Each structure stands twice: as structure tokens, then as C-alpha cells.
DNA sequence: TCACTGACGGGGC
DNA sequence: CGCCCCGCCAGTG
């Protein structure tokens, strides 16, 4: 597996329960700013790994669950997030800025 | 080898 | 505020 993927997975695994992050932020954190699409692509291949990669905690910059169709059931991603205390309305995380994970600073 | 495709994001109009 | 275009770069046919 690529170093790029490994780094993306390492970051995503650090997202604490109850928090979420965005593709763009993660791309920047792995040192490949602007490559948010690659992060999404990496998530697409992140299933079945161990330790597990909480891909459901990664949404787009608007807090919208754009990747829900890749969890088998279209409702799974939303349910996982709700289990962690989030409120989702119309595929969008409510109070997104409040639960957005921002390491350091 | 070339062309196209994305779980995206930002800028221009 | 909405729509369109372009850069990002690994995979795939």
C-alpha cells in the first residue's frame, strides 16, 4: 500500500469519537494540500482494514455525508455518526463547525 | 501511453 | 447565491 494511503489512514484513525474531519483538512495534514479527492479515493479502499478506519467521520467541507453510498447501506454512515452523538439532517451534520476536529492550534 | 474518472475544494462570473 | 471550470493525482481500461 502506498505511503500516501497509510498516512491518510493514520490521520483518520486519530479522529476522536464524537468528532469529524474533512477531506480537504486531511489532505493538508498528510502534506498533500489540494488533493482532497485523493483522500476520498483512499477512503474508498479503506474498508476491511485493521485497525479499522472510521471513514464515516470524514465528510466534505460543508459537513455533508457525500460518501454515504459507499457503506453498503446508504443509511449506515448516518447511523454510525448518530451513534457517536451527532445530529444529521438531510445528509448534513448539524453544528458541523462545533464538532469539526482541529488538531493543534 | 493516453484519456477519463472520482467519498473534493477553491476561484471566477 | 448558484453554476461552471480547473487543479489535485492514483487507478483503471
Amino acid at each position: 500500500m502506498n505511503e500516501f494511503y497509510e498516512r491518510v489512514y493514520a490521520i483518520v484513525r486519530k479522529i476522536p469519537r464524537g468528532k469529524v474531519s474533512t477531506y480537504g483538512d486531511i489532505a493538508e495534514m498528510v502534506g498533500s494540500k489540494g488533493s482532497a479527492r485523493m483522500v476520498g479515493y483512499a477512503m474508498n479502499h479503506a474498508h476491511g482494514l485493521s485497525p479499522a478506519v472510521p471513514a464515516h467521520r470524514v465528510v466534505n467541507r460543508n459537513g455533508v455525508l457525500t460518501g454515504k453510498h459507499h457503506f453498503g447501506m446508504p443509511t449506515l454512515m448516518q447511523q454510525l455518526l448518530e451513534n457517536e452523538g451527532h445530529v444529521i439532517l438531510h445528509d448534513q451534520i448539524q453544528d458541523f463547525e462545533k464538532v469539526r476536529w482541529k488538531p493543534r492550534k
Side-chain angles (χ1 to χ4, degrees):
Chain A
M1 196 62 84
N2 289 334
E3 185 125 341
F4 176 79
Y5 278 34
E6 289 303 327
R7 246 180 287 181
V8 170
Y9 298 150
I11 295 292
V12 176
R13 283 195 271 249
K14 286 180 183 174
I15 302 175
R17 183 182 160 77
K19 290 286 184 177
V20 295
S21 191
T22 72
Y23 301 99
D25 285 350
I26 292 172
E28 190 170 353
M29 284 186 260
V30 300
S32 189
K33 184 179 181 182
S35 300
R37 310 182 71 153
M38 297 304 99
V39 176
Y41 203 87
M43 290 304 97
N44 198 14
H45 295 286
H47 53 71
L49 297 180
S50 67
V53 177
H56 60 281
R57 290 178 192 156
V58 183
V59 296
N60 76 355
R61 60 160 171 171
N62 299 130
V64 177
L65 283 53
T66 50
K68 57 182 288 187
H69 295 299
H70 294 268
F71 284 78
M73 290 291 288
T75 57
L76 182 58
M77 185 177 186
Q78 176 172 340
Q79 293 188 357
L80 288 172
L81 288 169
E82 290 177 334
N83 284 341
E84 300 184 352
H86 297 294
V87 179
I88 288 94
L89 198 58
H90 304 319
D91 294 338
Q92 181 175 44
I93 298 180
Q94 302 301 294
D95 296 317
F96 177 56
E97 289 303 324
K98 293 181 183 176
V99 297
R100 188 171 178 175
W101 182 56
K102 294 174 185 173
R104 77 171 62 224
K105 182 160 187 213

